[in-house]
mmCIF file of all heavy atoms in Angstrom:
data_model
loop_
_atom_site.group_PDB
_atom_site.id
_atom_site.type_symbol
_atom_site.label_atom_id
_atom_site.label_comp_id
_atom_site.label_asym_id
_atom_site.label_seq_id
_atom_site.Cartn_x
_atom_site.Cartn_y
_atom_site.Cartn_z
ATOM 1 N N SER A 24 11.488 5.466 13.342
ATOM 2 C CA SER A 24 12.101 6.007 14.536
ATOM 3 C C SER A 24 11.079 5.827 15.755
ATOM 4 O O SER A 24 11.381 6.216 16.852
ATOM 5 C CB SER A 24 12.499 7.441 14.482
ATOM 6 O OG SER A 24 11.434 8.186 14.022
ATOM 7 N N ASP A 28 11.310 7.441 19.292
ATOM 8 C CA ASP A 28 10.773 8.876 19.356
ATOM 9 C C ASP A 28 9.365 8.901 19.979
ATOM 10 O O ASP A 28 8.839 10.020 20.245
ATOM 11 C CB ASP A 28 10.970 9.636 18.097
ATOM 12 C CG ASP A 28 10.037 9.195 16.977
ATOM 13 O OD1 ASP A 28 9.080 8.389 17.174
ATOM 14 O OD2 ASP A 28 10.372 9.627 15.811
ATOM 15 N N GLU A 83 6.171 5.168 10.660
ATOM 16 C CA GLU A 83 7.461 5.755 10.804
ATOM 17 C C GLU A 83 7.770 6.383 12.221
ATOM 18 O O GLU A 83 8.627 5.877 12.883
ATOM 19 C CB GLU A 83 7.636 6.924 9.763
ATOM 20 C CG GLU A 83 8.969 6.888 9.085
ATOM 21 C CD GLU A 83 9.125 8.020 8.076
ATOM 22 O OE1 GLU A 83 8.409 7.997 7.041
ATOM 23 O OE2 GLU A 83 9.918 8.885 8.330
ATOM 24 N N ASP A 84 7.194 7.531 12.501
ATOM 25 C CA ASP A 84 7.578 8.216 13.665
ATOM 26 C C ASP A 84 6.386 8.717 14.536
ATOM 27 O O ASP A 84 5.302 8.455 14.250
ATOM 28 C CB ASP A 84 8.476 9.339 13.343
ATOM 29 C CG ASP A 84 7.868 10.376 12.375
ATOM 30 O OD1 ASP A 84 6.589 10.473 12.317
ATOM 31 O OD2 ASP A 84 8.612 11.153 11.653
ATOM 32 N N HIS A 86 5.225 11.644 15.049
ATOM 33 C CA HIS A 86 4.404 12.675 14.417
ATOM 34 C C HIS A 86 3.342 12.017 13.604
ATOM 35 O O HIS A 86 2.152 12.427 13.623
ATOM 36 C CB HIS A 86 5.238 13.629 13.617
ATOM 37 C CG HIS A 86 6.602 13.844 14.190
ATOM 38 N ND1 HIS A 86 6.777 14.445 15.347
ATOM 39 C CD2 HIS A 86 7.887 13.521 13.753
ATOM 40 C CE1 HIS A 86 8.022 14.525 15.671
ATOM 41 N NE2 HIS A 86 8.727 13.936 14.719
ATOM 42 N N ARG A 110 7.245 18.317 9.353
ATOM 43 C CA ARG A 110 7.770 17.485 10.420
ATOM 44 C C ARG A 110 9.164 18.054 10.826
ATOM 45 O O ARG A 110 9.660 17.729 11.899
ATOM 46 C CB ARG A 110 7.909 15.979 9.957
ATOM 47 C CG ARG A 110 6.603 15.255 10.209
ATOM 48 C CD ARG A 110 6.893 13.771 9.945
ATOM 49 N NE ARG A 110 7.237 13.483 8.575
ATOM 50 C CZ ARG A 110 7.952 12.411 8.220
ATOM 51 N NH1 ARG A 110 8.317 11.513 9.083
ATOM 52 N NH2 ARG A 110 8.207 12.250 6.910
ATOM 53 N N ASN A 111 9.725 18.842 9.987
ATOM 54 C CA ASN A 111 11.036 19.406 10.313
ATOM 55 C C ASN A 111 11.054 20.411 11.483
ATOM 56 O O ASN A 111 11.843 20.310 12.405
ATOM 57 C CB ASN A 111 11.700 20.044 9.074
ATOM 58 C CG ASN A 111 12.002 19.021 8.009
ATOM 59 O OD1 ASN A 111 11.898 17.787 8.209
ATOM 60 N ND2 ASN A 111 12.364 19.456 6.826
ATOM 61 N N VAL A 114 9.613 18.272 14.640
ATOM 62 C CA VAL A 114 10.537 17.466 15.439
ATOM 63 C C VAL A 114 11.553 18.383 16.181
ATOM 64 O O VAL A 114 11.973 18.068 17.275
ATOM 65 C CB VAL A 114 11.279 16.382 14.604
ATOM 66 C CG1 VAL A 114 12.303 17.011 13.665
ATOM 67 C CG2 VAL A 114 11.897 15.332 15.399
ATOM 68 N N ARG A 233 21.011 21.382 15.892
ATOM 69 C CA ARG A 233 20.885 20.416 17.014
ATOM 70 C C ARG A 233 21.868 20.870 18.085
ATOM 71 O O ARG A 233 22.213 20.040 18.955
ATOM 72 C CB ARG A 233 21.086 19.008 16.548
ATOM 73 C CG ARG A 233 19.992 18.451 15.668
ATOM 74 C CD ARG A 233 18.633 18.347 16.433
ATOM 75 N NE ARG A 233 17.588 17.713 15.567
ATOM 76 C CZ ARG A 233 16.792 18.424 14.715
ATOM 77 N NH1 ARG A 233 16.895 19.761 14.677
ATOM 78 N NH2 ARG A 233 15.907 17.845 14.042
ATOM 79 N N TYR A 318 17.540 20.355 6.907
ATOM 80 C CA TYR A 318 17.312 19.036 7.424
ATOM 81 C C TYR A 318 17.758 17.904 6.557
ATOM 82 O O TYR A 318 17.565 17.911 5.353
ATOM 83 C CB TYR A 318 15.783 18.881 7.722
ATOM 84 C CG TYR A 318 15.415 17.482 8.312
ATOM 85 C CD1 TYR A 318 15.525 17.298 9.689
ATOM 86 C CD2 TYR A 318 15.148 16.405 7.565
ATOM 87 C CE1 TYR A 318 15.240 16.063 10.295
ATOM 88 C CE2 TYR A 318 14.777 15.164 8.107
ATOM 89 C CZ TYR A 318 14.866 14.990 9.484
ATOM 90 O OH TYR A 318 14.620 13.796 10.024
ATOM 91 N N LYS A 320 17.972 13.410 6.995
ATOM 92 C CA LYS A 320 17.345 12.356 7.834
ATOM 93 C C LYS A 320 18.397 11.868 8.826
ATOM 94 O O LYS A 320 18.025 11.239 9.851
ATOM 95 C CB LYS A 320 16.861 11.167 7.001
ATOM 96 C CG LYS A 320 15.905 10.225 7.704
ATOM 97 C CD LYS A 320 14.631 10.955 8.212
ATOM 98 C CE LYS A 320 13.628 9.995 8.831
ATOM 99 N NZ LYS A 320 12.579 9.559 7.872
ATOM 100 N N MET A 322 19.537 13.453 10.935
ATOM 101 C CA MET A 322 19.323 14.028 12.208
ATOM 102 C C MET A 322 18.251 13.287 13.078
ATOM 103 O O MET A 322 18.145 13.549 14.244
ATOM 104 C CB MET A 322 18.821 15.493 11.990
ATOM 105 C CG MET A 322 20.004 16.352 11.516
ATOM 106 S SD MET A 322 19.495 17.878 10.645
ATOM 107 C CE MET A 322 18.874 18.843 12.074
ATOM 108 N N GLN A 323 17.661 12.273 12.478
ATOM 109 C CA GLN A 323 16.782 11.492 13.242
ATOM 110 C C GLN A 323 17.629 10.650 14.251
ATOM 111 O O GLN A 323 17.110 10.154 15.284
ATOM 112 C CB GLN A 323 16.061 10.494 12.302
ATOM 113 C CG GLN A 323 15.127 9.516 13.020
ATOM 114 C CD GLN A 323 14.206 8.848 12.012
ATOM 115 O OE1 GLN A 323 13.212 9.465 11.581
ATOM 116 N NE2 GLN A 323 14.481 7.553 11.619
ATOM 117 N N LYS A 326 18.337 11.374 18.639
ATOM 118 C CA LYS A 326 17.525 11.216 19.828
ATOM 119 C C LYS A 326 18.054 10.129 20.782
ATOM 120 O O LYS A 326 18.053 10.305 22.018
ATOM 121 C CB LYS A 326 16.082 10.843 19.450
ATOM 122 C CG LYS A 326 15.440 12.085 18.760
ATOM 123 C CD LYS A 326 14.040 11.620 18.197
ATOM 124 C CE LYS A 326 13.695 12.680 17.107
ATOM 125 N NZ LYS A 326 14.620 12.645 15.948
HETATM 126 N N1 LIG B 501 11.375 11.272 12.462
HETATM 127 C C1 LIG B 501 12.018 12.394 11.903
HETATM 128 C C2 LIG B 501 13.223 12.795 12.737
HETATM 129 O O1 LIG B 501 13.294 12.346 13.868
HETATM 130 C C3 LIG B 501 11.024 13.579 11.851
HETATM 131 C C4 LIG B 501 11.388 14.504 10.803
HETATM 132 C C5 LIG B 501 11.214 14.013 9.477
HETATM 133 N N2 LIG B 501 11.277 14.888 8.452
HETATM 134 C C6 LIG B 501 11.487 14.568 7.183
HETATM 135 N N3 LIG B 501 11.606 15.502 6.368
HETATM 136 N N4 LIG B 501 11.518 13.351 6.770
HETATM 137 O O2 LIG B 501 14.061 13.543 12.377
#
Side-chain angles (χ1 to χ4, degrees):
S24 55
D28 70 14
E83 226 182 292
D84 57 22
H86 325 295
R110 274 189 297 157
N111 296 350
V114 74
R233 292 295 182 271
Y318 178 86
K320 197 61 174 262
M322 288 160 74
Q323 179 165 284
K326 293 170 200 65

